């Protein structure tokens, strides 16, 4: 069943992208920037938002799910059929980087996400003194990840830096893995 | 590739497609209606059926009319099956939260952290007045000879000025201009006023582990003032019995585990967690949210603490979402601060102005904090 759905989607050149991260990471702001919408009046997400983006000939269905503690237990409702996981990190948030690591590694154990590649967005790089991608790779122990193809991009949802490049990686990776059949 | 009859090949493929579509239809009820999963699955089935229908049309070149009708009937039958399956579950128009017994994880988390607050150094009543007089030389930036902070700060920066504040008694003027970002932590009974020279364009602020302190950051974060610039983001954590005038934030304020305190801030987003008995004086451009809080009250930032720009933007301070109370009824965890109870601007200005010999408790009292903050 799953594989049939997946194949059907690939024929349509559609990808399902799940965007998660702690609350305040900047997920919604990233989506807004990509959609060309106002990034200054975003409220914290109660529930989830789905946006469809046409990117490079592909249809990206992006599921932006709220990261408040109360909502994290609902994340699992969105795992099914995910082609790529985008994990957004607030690079200024040193206080919760351990929390961030635990949530991420917890997700990677999920069987229903086992087929998804992982893009880590080190967001808010426009803020001075924030953590670098090297620091974050260490803090989040990214090099311990064996189960998923992954990469990390520094980015900013305020300036738009690297957002398109990140999505391009997701699409390239999906092409290589999924569109071969 | 021998010449297989296209009719036969089509028949085979059609059968496979129908089998897979029927399987999809039969599994529709197992999809969760939460999060649009089911709707998503339904759309997929329908698009598979459309494709099949197109295939039948394309095959008309070599299919006898009778076969074609049989295939078309089958396609229609599939559509009916989907409609029937859909009728069995009324799709929910809106996302709804299911109540789960695991609720409350957030509420307990902050409590143990709060215990750390009381064990800190018993400082003399210090008023650290950092509103530097004009003659203050820049040389004060070099803080290398000061003792390092006895207690760990959360960030990697700013140990120096924390040490400097802590080592001072009476009036001290810490300099922040060497720091990449503002990080104040581990202070007790301190009145700390950040000088304009502490301003950092697009930097983050962090205040942690403060007990019975008064912190005023309004001057350096006001972009209208000489060198001021708003914070890009601000985090407040583990604070008790204190008054924080956080100034201006061109982004989010993230508040965790604050009790018996008053906080004034103008920001784009305000996110409040695990707080108890705190009054917020807000100017907020989006809906403030609370999670795991009780006894939090909301009023407006006094006009005199707003920039011209902020005065022009709508203030959503009174449209609070409680993530622990997603019901139609009013949340018992927060309320609006009645006008008469709000501390007026003149009282703020007077209490926050530097002056020698003022006891910190008096300042806290004047700003509505410290009746019985325990410990
Ligand atoms: N300076 C800066 N601020 C950012 C950036 N991205 C997001 N922000 C700010 O961070 C805050 C949180 O952004 P959101 O997009 O609401 O975060 P979220 O991850 O969707 O949060 P939840 O919906 O609660 O899960 C907002 O105030 C944004 O303005 C960035 O790249 N740079
Ligand atoms: Mg969001």
């Amino acid at each position: 069943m799953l594989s049939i759905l997946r194949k059907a989607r690939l024929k349509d050149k559609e990808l399902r992208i799940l965007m998660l991260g702690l609350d305040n990471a900047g997920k919604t702001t990233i989506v807004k920037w990509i959609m060309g919408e106002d990034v200054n009046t975003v409220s914290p997400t109660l529930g989830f938002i789905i946006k469809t983006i046409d990117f490079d000939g592909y249809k990206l269905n992006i599921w932006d799910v709220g990261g408040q503690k109360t909502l994290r237990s609902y994340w699992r409702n969105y795992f099914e059929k995910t082609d790529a996981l985008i994990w957004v990190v607030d690079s200024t948030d040193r206080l919760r980087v351990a929390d961030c690591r635990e949530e991420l590694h917890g997700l990677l154990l999920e069987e229903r996400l086992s087929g998804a590649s992982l893009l880590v967005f080190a967001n808010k790089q426009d803020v001075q003194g924030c953590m670098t991608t090297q620091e974050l790779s260490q803090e989040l122990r990214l090099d311990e990840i064996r189960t998923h193809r992954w990469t990390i991009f520094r980015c900013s949802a305020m300036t738009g830096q690297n957002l398109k490049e990140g999505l391009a990686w997701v699409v390239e990776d999906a092409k290589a893995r999924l569109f071969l059949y | 590739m021998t010449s297989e009859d296209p009719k036969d090949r089509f028949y085979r493929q059609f059968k496979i497609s129908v089998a897979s579509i029927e399987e999809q239809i039969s599994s529709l009820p197992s999809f969760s209606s939460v999060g649009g999963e089911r709707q998503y699955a339904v759309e997929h089935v329908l698009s598979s059926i459309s494709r099949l229908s197109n295939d039948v049309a394309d095959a008309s070149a070599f299919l006898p009319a009778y076969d074609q009708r049989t295939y078309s009937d089958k396609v229609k039958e599939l559509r009916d099956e989907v409609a029937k399956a859909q009728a069995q579950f009324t799709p929910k128009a809106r996302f709804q939260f299911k109540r789960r017994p695991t609720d409350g994880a957030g509420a307990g988390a902050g409590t143990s952290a709060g215990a750390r607050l009381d064990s800190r150094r018993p400082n003399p009543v210090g008023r650290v007045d950092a509103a530097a007089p004009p003659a203050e030389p820049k040389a004060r930036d070099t803080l290398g000879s000061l003792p390092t902070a006895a207690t760990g700060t959360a960030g990697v920066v700013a140990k120096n000025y924390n040490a400097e504040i802590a080592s001072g008694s009476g009036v001290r003027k810490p300099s922040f201009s060497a720091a990449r970002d503002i990080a104040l932590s581990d202070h007790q009974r301190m009145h700390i006023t950040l000088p304009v020279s502490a301003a950092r364009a697009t930097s983050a602020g962090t205040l942690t582990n403060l007990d019975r302190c008064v912190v005023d950051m309004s001057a350096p974060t006001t972009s209208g003032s000489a060198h001021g610039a708003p914070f890009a983001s601000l985090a407040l954590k583990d604070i008790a019995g204190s008054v924080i005038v956080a100034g201006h934030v061109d982004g989010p304020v993230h508040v965790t585990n604050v009790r018996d305190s008053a906080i004034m801030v103008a920001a784009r987003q305000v996110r409040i967690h695990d707080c108890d008995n705190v009054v917020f004086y807000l100017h907020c451009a989006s809906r403030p949210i609370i999670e795991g809080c009780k006894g939090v009250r909301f009023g407006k930032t006094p006009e005199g603490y707003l920039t011209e720009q902020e005065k022009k933007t709508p203030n959503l301070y009174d449209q609070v979402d409680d993530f622990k109370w997603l019901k139609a009824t009013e949340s018992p965890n927060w309320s609006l601060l009645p006008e008469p109870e709000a501390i007026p601007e003149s009282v703020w200005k007077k209490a926050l102005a530097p002056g020698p010999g003022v006891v910190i408790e008096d300042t806290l009292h004047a700003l509505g904090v410290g009746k019985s903050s325990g410990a």
Side-chain angles (χ1 to χ4, degrees), chain B residues 131-156:
Chain B
E136 191 65 8
K138 259 280 193 280
R140 292 191 53 89
D141 285 2
T142 323
L143 300 172
S145 60
L146 286 160
T148 50
T151 49
T153 56
V156 296

Side-chain angles (χ1 to χ4, degrees), chain A residues 16 42 63 70 74 76 128, chain B residues 35 98 100 202 269 291:
Chain A
R16 180 179 160 115
V42 179
W63 295 62
T70 316
Y74 298 93
R76 67 175 97 96
Q128 275 182 31
Chain B
K98 277 192 242 132
R100 284 185 197 218
T202 60
Q269 278 188 355
E291 186 181 53

Side-chain angles (χ1 to χ4, degrees), chain A residues 21-30 39-40 42-46 64-68 71 88 90 123-127 155-159, chain B residues 232-233 250-253 268-269 271 289 323:
Chain A
L22 301 188
D23 51 293
N24 201 35
K27 300 177 288 296
T28 307
T29 311
I30 287 177
V39 296
N40 293 324
V42 179
S43 290
T45 307
L46 261 161
D64 162 23
V65 188
Q68 291 289 140
L71 299 183
V88 183
D90 175 353
N123 191 34
K124 309 198 186 182
Q125 291 287 327
D126 57 299
V127 180
C155 74
S156 164
M158 283 296 148
T159 66
Chain B
S233 76
D250 218 359
V253 182
R268 289 227 195 109
Q269 278 188 355
R271 299 162 170 268
I289 63 119
F323 274 66

Side-chain angles (χ1 to χ4, degrees), chain B residues 1 55 110 126 128 143 169 227 280 292 296 303 339 341 344 361:
Chain B
M1 281 290 168
D55 290 349
V128 180
L143 300 172
S169 54
H227 306 287
F280 288 90
V296 290
E303 286 264 311
E339 271 304 324
E341 282 184 52
E361 278 75 11

Side-chain angles (χ1 to χ4, degrees), chain A:
Chain A
M1 173 67 198
L2 228 176
S3 66
I4 291 163
L5 271 186
R6 169 160 283 156
K7 279 181 190 164
R9 206 165 55 250
L10 298 184
K11 229 191 223 162
D12 302 340
K13 292 185 128 189
E14 258 184 71
L15 286 177
R16 180 179 160 115
I17 299 175
L18 182 58
M19 195 177 244
L20 296 176
L22 301 188
D23 51 293
N24 201 35
K27 300 177 288 296
T28 307
T29 311
I30 287 177
V31 174
K32 291 249 171 193
W33 191 93
I34 294 170
M35 304 290 292
E37 296 171 14
D38 179 21
V39 296
N40 293 324
T41 52
V42 179
S43 290
T45 307
L46 261 161
F48 72 98
I49 301 164
I50 313 170
K51 294 273 180 174
T52 301
I53 296 171
D54 284 315
F55 189 86
D56 204 15
Y58 289 80
K59 212 167 134 197
L60 310 184
N61 296 311
I62 301 189
W63 295 62
D64 162 23
V65 188
Q68 291 289 140
K69 253 190 207 152
T70 316
L71 299 183
R72 292 181 206 161
S73 58
Y74 298 93
W75 281 358
R76 67 175 97 96
N77 293 339
Y78 304 87
F79 292 164
E80 213 71 68
K81 305 184 295 288
T82 294
D83 297 308
L85 175 66
I86 299 184
W87 181 256
V88 183
V89 184
D90 175 353
S91 309
T92 71
D93 192 357
R94 293 187 160 86
L95 292 178
R96 294 196 297 161
V97 71
D99 205 6
C100 181
R101 172 177 65 232
E102 271 149 41
E103 293 286 359
L104 172 62
H105 284 271
L107 279 179
L108 297 179
L109 297 175
E110 292 286 345
E111 203 180 315
R112 284 178 299 157
L113 288 177
S114 60
S117 288
L118 169 69
L119 165 65
V120 178
F121 260 147
N123 191 34
K124 309 198 186 182
Q125 291 287 327
D126 57 299
V127 180
Q128 275 182 31
C130 70
M131 289 178 279
T132 62
T133 46
Q134 285 91 328
E135 259 176 292
L136 275 171
S137 301
Q138 264 176 19
E139 291 284 357
L140 301 178
R141 308 224 179 95
L142 296 183
D143 57 341
E144 289 176 14
I145 299 172
R146 300 277 179 272
T147 45
H148 297 68
R149 291 161 59 100
W150 64 270
T151 190
I152 182 168
F153 274 76
R154 68 202 316 277
C155 74
S156 164
M158 283 296 148
T159 66
Q161 179 202 20
N162 261 351
L163 298 183
K164 295 253 158 84
E165 287 78 356
L167 288 187
W169 181 84
V170 167
V171 170
E172 282 307 313
D173 172 78
K175 271 190 210 164
R177 286 183 310 133
L178 307 172
F179 290 73
L180 278 178
Y181 83 106

